[in-house]
Amino acid sequence: MKTKLFLITPPFTQLNTPYPATAYIKGFLNTKNIESVQADLGIEVILKLFSKEGLLNLFKVCSANSAFGLGSGLKFKVPNHRISDNSKRIFALQDEYLKTIDPVIAFLQGKNPTLALQICQEDFLPEASRFAQLEELDWAFGTMGTQDKAKHLATLYLEDISDFIVECVDANFGFSRYAERLGRSANSFDELYDALQQEPTYIDNLLLSILKERIETTQPTLFLISVPFPGNLYSAFRSAQWVKKHYPNIKISMGGGFPNTELRSLSDPRVFEFFDYITLDDGELPVELLVEAVTSSAVEKPFEFKRTFLLENGKVVYKNNSTRSDYKQSQVGTPDYSDLLLDKYISVIEIVNPMHRMWSDGRWNKLTMAHGCYWGKCTFCDISLDYIKVYEPVAASLLCDRMEEMIAQTGENGFHFVDEAAPPALMRALALEILRRKLAVTWWTNIRFEKNFTGDLCLLLKASGCIAVSGGLEVASDRLLKLIDKGVTVEQVAKVTRNFTEAGVMVHAYLMYGYPTQTIQETVDSLEMVRQLFEVGVLQSGFWHQFAMTAHSPVGLYPEKFGVVKETEILGTFANNDINYTDATGIDHDKFSFGLKKSLFNFMHGICFDYELQDWFEFKIPKTKISSDFIFDALQEDDDFNIKPTAKIVWLGGKPFIEHFTKSKKGNSWEMMTLTFHDKKESFTIQTNKNEGEWLVEMLQKITVSNVKIHTFQEVKADFEKQLEDFELFWYSKPIKNLREFGLLVL
């Protein structure tokens, strides 16, 4: 029996780039010669909805609402409540929206760049409530080019339409999520199950019309639905429901981030009215075994499964009876983005902050440097699960091979490494390999702010194309960082962010509040630390998250160690991850949310550093106990000048032009050399005596980044001392100091 798999990501994740799970699985299936087709139904629904035809239908549906004073008699369930003036304005301007929607979408797809000039005139796009914030941001457009300003205005325009959809057609709609509420903390399947018994919504019908066409074209034997987030869950079930009804012979399986974390104790049999299988953790081997089970003609043979839920005799059972080991990262193949509409994704700019926009602007190829987390200790994290616990790095040479394959396939040279925390040693090896192969790539990733990110390592990463990093500062309090087991201090974070910033790499910090035992004073002090990090310019972007206790984290597993009590020990029959708890402090951390986020928004735009912290809150807070110069002072401390003998020495520059001359003083003369170097920005010269100069020219050739062999500091020192004396005096001399500023790195 010929097998064909259809892999989808249901609505919605990102507008600007595909979520990579199906591309990873397709890449693996290629290594097994298993035929597959993939689709991102999220972007396909968006493109159908945000088109002239889509809006025309939308406005027709809305005209059925008597609140618009029209009443077309259309048979479609729409909210029949009082409509806001904002939505009435959009409805009244529908001709303007119909005229502009297709050109705007084409512009955001990078196909209509000249439209930027017209959008920036600010009389081309119809404007509703989202444009009210423009006056506040006008100052920022001075730092933005025409294309970026136009993207931002076009984003506001789409958000206006989104607001209209939410109010008038489908309250569950969101650009990067759909019916997320039904997937969040759904211990019981009841609410989601009831929603699936209702008539399909307007958005559902768009999705199902696309799915129908795809199923008819593909005719798969196995339908795989990847559910990365709660905001994909409802659409996944709706899609599975439709296929079960119309194509009962097609087997359906769910995998992805949501089941991996939420459905590990699943017991509700109603779930299997929609799905035949639900797999957990790494999907390669479970999917391969499903293919064998689905295509086998054997009736009596017991099938092997890997981490798979299914229904037997009306009960949910978990099968993990395969003795085969999961595939190593070197065996899973290169992610394959074929079938996806790569030229149709939409780049948007929601806020002006340059780092924040990277999640929504531009097409990124997604890759992983290492499976799992090399640190694996943070107490809020799911460190008991394989996706964190099982650490396996990929060799730098193999990563570069995959990067070159993906560039050839997609035509894009931007990479987002989606690691939990990329290891510094592997990042260094990858950067060296990229430079050795002379690849022109742009990349960013997630890190821990650990001390191994020295100034020179950050310069190397920048030279290889790294433009940004994101990492967890979490709670900017040394006591809480120790309780979290983050393995860093605030002072260390400041130095690392300084190193990246000075190298020209943007830094985004994940910030947390409401961690168990966190006091109000610590929240205020944490905000003060964040204010100072932005004020001195070593942090460019951040986001506050309120702590959530999850079942698979140390806090969730051992709450008594962290001063919290679970509200119940009873497991739900559906999703079990987020845990309700009471904190011994009794503090209502919710009330800090608005003030923390508002202050951060202003700090990211480089303003309001002189505000009192009290100004951000409508309730009384204590004064900070942090010195106003804490971060500034921490950054003044000189780094240790001791270089380890095993440190690697690399030269990023090119060959110098050499001139010889004789220097005379008080009747003595000696031969000298002038070495002139040219880098991409400027030229500079150094002078040395002849012997040291000749040795230096030869050594720079040996340690140039294009060479496979990497020399250590000890090897460089030993080579010098074969011919010359007093290496330390030479190494710390002015000529070498100049070279250190222009690409002579100690790693």
Side-chain angles (χ1 to χ4, degrees):
M1 177 179 175
K2 184 166 173 56
T3 313
K4 193 171 191 180
L5 276 65
F6 183 39
L7 328 170
I8 71 160
T9 306
F12 294 105
T13 47
Q14 287 175 275
L15 295 176
N16 62 310
T17 200
Y19 193 78
T22 60
Y24 275 54
I25 291 294
K26 185 175 175 68
F28 166 73
L29 293 171
N30 292 345
T31 70
K32 299 295 177 182
N33 295 315
I34 296 172
E35 188 181 358
S36 64
V37 175
Q38 65 181 322
D40 177 356
L41 297 190
I43 193 64
E44 294 190 33
V45 170
I46 289 291
L47 293 175
K48 192 162 187 174
L49 179 59
F50 289 86
S51 65
K52 185 174 182 178
E53 183 184 350
L55 290 191
L56 194 61
N57 290 334
L58 186 75
F59 288 126
K60 276 184 184 175
V61 164
C62 289
S63 65
N65 191 322
S66 59
F68 286 112
L70 294 167
S72 69
L74 280 170
K75 301 297 182 187
F76 197 91
K77 190 177 179 183
V78 295
N80 218 357
H81 52 254
R82 186 179 180 279
I83 300 298
S84 68
D85 290 343
N86 187 61
S87 287
K88 287 178 180 177
R89 173 177 171 77
I90 292 171
F91 189 81
L93 289 169
Q94 60 182 278
D95 287 345
E96 293 298 324
Y97 285 100
L98 293 171
K99 183 177 90 173
T100 51
I101 188 64
D102 286 344
V104 166
I105 292 294
F107 168 70
L108 293 174
Q109 290 170 330
K111 298 172 185 169
N112 193 11
T114 55
L115 190 69
L117 299 168
Q118 214 171 351
I119 291 174
C120 289
Q121 296 285 323
E122 296 187 34
D123 61 357
F124 176 71
L125 298 177
E127 298 181 5
S129 63
R130 293 288 182 144
F131 285 79
Q133 62 187 280
L134 262 187
E135 286 181 21
E136 298 173 29
L137 292 179
D138 265 351
W139 59 270
F141 291 135
T143 64
M144 297 176 82
T146 302
Q147 292 289 319
D148 281 356
K149 179 177 179 180
K151 272 188 190 178
H152 182 61
L153 294 172
T155 303
L156 298 178
Y157 161 90
L158 292 183
E159 287 175 337
D160 274 337
I161 301 173
S162 172
D163 291 343
F164 180 83
I165 293 168
V166 169
E167 183 178 358
C168 303
V169 177
D170 192 336
N172 286 320
F173 179 74
F175 278 120
S176 58
R177 60 190 62 84
Y178 186 73
E180 184 180 46
R181 180 186 58 79
L182 294 175
R184 281 206 172 278
S185 304
N187 298 100
S188 166
F189 188 48
D190 290 349
E191 190 178 3
L192 179 56
Y193 188 77
D194 290 346
L196 291 163
Q197 308 313 308
Q198 307 303 312
E199 285 297 310
T201 67
Y202 183 79
I203 303 297
D204 288 345
N205 283 325
L206 287 179
L207 165 64
L208 298 178
S209 67
I210 295 167
L211 180 64
K212 177 177 185 291
E213 187 181 315
R214 288 310 200 94
I215 291 288
E216 288 172 354
T217 305
T218 309
Q219 297 188 336
T221 45
L222 181 58
F223 180 32
L224 303 182
I225 304 179
S226 175
V227 184
F229 307 114
N232 304 95
L233 187 68
Y234 170 83
S235 294
F237 272 89
R238 204 44 120 172
S239 299
Q241 180 186 47
W242 186 90
V243 172
K244 268 272 173 263
K245 179 180 178 181
H246 295 92
Y247 293 88
N249 58 315
I250 296 175
K251 297 296 182 184
I252 308 173
S253 178
M254 180 203 297
F258 183 86
N260 291 351
T261 55
E262 303 277 349
L263 302 185
R264 303 189 79 88
S265 52
L266 176 67
S267 60
D268 193 323
R270 293 176 297 173
V271 171
F272 294 89
E273 294 174 23
F274 306 84
F275 291 92
D276 298 288
Y277 310 103
I278 294 177
T279 65
L280 302 181
D281 302 327
D282 292 358
E284 290 84 4
L285 183 56
V287 166
E288 185 181 13
L289 293 171
L290 287 187
V291 170
E292 291 176 11
V294 167
T295 56
S296 174
S297 56
V299 179
E300 299 297 327
K301 179 186 172 186
F303 296 118
E304 287 192 353
F305 294 97
K306 194 79 171 178
R307 298 185 300 273
T308 301
F309 283 108
L310 48 92
L311 202 64
E312 280 188 353
N313 303 318
K315 291 193 174 180
V316 179
V317 294
Y318 179 68
K319 290 286 185 80
N320 194 23
N321 60 341
S322 173
T323 57
R324 291 171 59 183
S325 299
D326 280 298
Y327 287 94
K328 297 290 184 188
Q329 292 301 296
S330 58
Q331 301 172 309
V332 296
T334 301
D336 183 349
Y337 283 87
S338 60
D339 312 324
L340 297 174
L341 309 176
L342 297 182
D343 60 340
K344 300 285 180 67
Y345 283 85
I346 301 166
S347 285
V348 296
I349 299 179
E350 295 168 57
I351 71 169
V352 178
N353 177 269
M355 177 76 202
H356 227 69
R357 64 185 280 185
M358 292 179 62
W359 279 271
S360 60
D361 185 23
R363 248 278 298 129
W364 301 99
N365 295 320
K366 308 278 182 113
L367 263 179
T368 310
M369 288 192 215
H371 182 289
C373 179
Y374 73 98
W375 180 248
K377 296 179 184 178
C378 298
T379 53
F380 61 81
C381 189
D382 294 336
I383 61 175
S384 65
L385 299 184
D386 282 357
Y387 83 96
I388 301 286
K389 182 173 66 176
V390 179
Y391 175 65
E392 186 194 341
V394 180
S397 57
L398 180 55
L399 279 172
C400 272
D401 289 344
R402 289 176 176 173
M403 290 170 78
E404 290 187 288
E405 278 185 59
M406 293 170 76
I407 291 168
Q409 184 191 71
T410 66
E412 300 281 355
N413 68 349
F415 289 85
H416 179 195
F417 290 96
V418 291
D419 292 63
E420 298 302 322
L426 183 51
M427 290 174 71
R428 179 184 68 192
L430 176 63
L432 289 168
E433 188 68 19
I434 288 170
L435 290 164
R436 201 174 287 135
R437 298 192 190 193
K438 296 180 170 58
L439 297 180
V441 294
T442 303
W443 62 276
W444 59 297
T445 191
N446 196 46
I447 63 163
R448 278 180 67 243
F449 292 122
E450 63 156 87
K451 62 177 186 276
N452 289 328
F453 287 109
T454 62
D456 277 11
L457 177 53
C458 293
L459 287 167
L460 176 75
L461 298 175
K462 170 66 174 173
S464 72
C466 179
I467 58 166
V469 293
S470 56
L473 170 55
E474 319 309 352
V475 183
S477 152
D478 286 345
R479 181 188 79 83
L480 289 168
L481 285 171
K482 191 173 181 182
L483 188 61
I484 289 171
D485 205 357
K486 195 71 187 176
V488 300
T489 63
V490 177
E491 189 173 311
Q492 183 182 308
V493 170
K495 289 178 178 178
V496 170
T497 57
R498 184 264 319 271
N499 292 342
F500 275 111
T501 300
E502 288 184 349
V505 177
M506 292 187 290
V507 185
H508 172 89
Y510 298 107
L511 306 165
M512 185 187 292
Y513 63 103
Y515 191 80
T517 74
Q518 183 172 352
T519 64
I520 291 175
Q521 184 68 57
E522 284 171 324
T523 300
V524 172
D525 290 348
S526 184
L527 175 58
E528 172 60 15
M529 291 287 203
V530 171
R531 185 195 70 78
Q532 290 185 31
L533 287 164
F534 276 97
E535 187 175 32
V536 300
V538 298
L539 206 55
Q540 292 77 51
S541 179
F543 191 83
W544 286 104
H545 304 259
Q546 188 166 356
F547 169 78
M549 189 161 97
T550 59
H552 313 292
S553 67
V555 181
L557 292 168
Y558 315 106
E560 66 283 353
K561 292 183 180 180
F562 299 89
V564 292
V565 178
K566 293 182 186 179
E567 287 187 3
T568 178
E569 292 289 343
I570 299 170
L571 284 179
T573 56
F574 187 53
N576 286 290
N577 191 35
D578 286 2
I579 298 173
N580 293 326
Y581 66 94
T582 53
D583 188 332
T585 64
I587 295 168
D588 175 16
H589 294 288
D590 289 351
K591 66 182 182 180
F592 288 93
S593 178
F594 182 77
L596 290 173
K597 291 174 181 177
K598 184 177 181 181
S599 60
L600 183 64
F601 181 84
N602 285 278
F603 298 160
M604 285 197 293
H605 288 94
I607 56 175
C608 300
F609 296 122
D610 56 343
Y611 279 36
E612 293 291 331
L613 297 187
Q614 179 65 66
D615 294 343
W616 302 113
F617 301 96
E618 294 181 351
F619 52 91
K620 186 72 176 169
I621 60 168
K623 286 189 176 296
T624 181
K625 293 184 177 180
I626 304 299
S627 159
S628 60
D629 293 325
F630 179 89
I631 298 296
F632 179 83
D633 291 343
L635 297 177
Q636 302 315 301
E637 295 177 18
D638 289 328
D639 289 328
D640 188 359
F641 282 100
N642 292 327
I643 299 174
K644 291 180 181 177
T646 54
K648 293 170 173 55
I649 311 298
V650 173
W651 172 238
L652 297 181
K655 294 179 184 177
F657 287 103
I658 303 167
E659 295 178 63
H660 293 84
F661 69 97
T662 302
K663 189 173 183 179
S664 300
K665 191 174 183 181
K666 294 183 180 179
N668 295 318
S669 62
W670 54 93
E671 291 185 74
M672 299 285 291
M673 288 175 64
T674 299
L675 308 181
T676 302
F677 297 85
H678 302 278
D679 77 357
K680 286 180 281 191
K681 282 191 171 182
E682 58 185 295
S683 303
F684 66 98
T685 62
I686 62 171
Q687 290 185 353
T688 68
N689 66 49
K690 180 173 178 289
N691 291 338
E692 289 177 349
E694 287 175 346
W695 175 86
L696 181 60
V697 170
E698 186 181 335
M699 181 50 67
L700 289 176
Q701 283 299 296
K702 289 180 181 177
I703 63 173
T704 185
V705 72
S706 57
N707 290 342
V708 175
K709 160 80 173 155
I710 302 289
H711 290 72
T712 65
F713 184 69
Q714 180 62 46
E715 288 170 334
V716 172
K717 182 175 185 284
D719 190 276
F720 182 92
E721 290 173 344
K722 284 179 191 173
Q723 312 162 38
L724 303 160
E725 295 179 353
D726 215 339
F727 176 74
E728 277 76 14
L729 190 65
F730 174 70
W731 182 257
Y732 293 106
S733 66
K734 187 177 178 182
I736 298 300
K737 187 179 178 185
N738 283 348
L739 287 179
R740 292 291 306 275
E741 292 175 2
F742 285 94
L744 179 59
L745 305 182
V746 179
L747 304 168

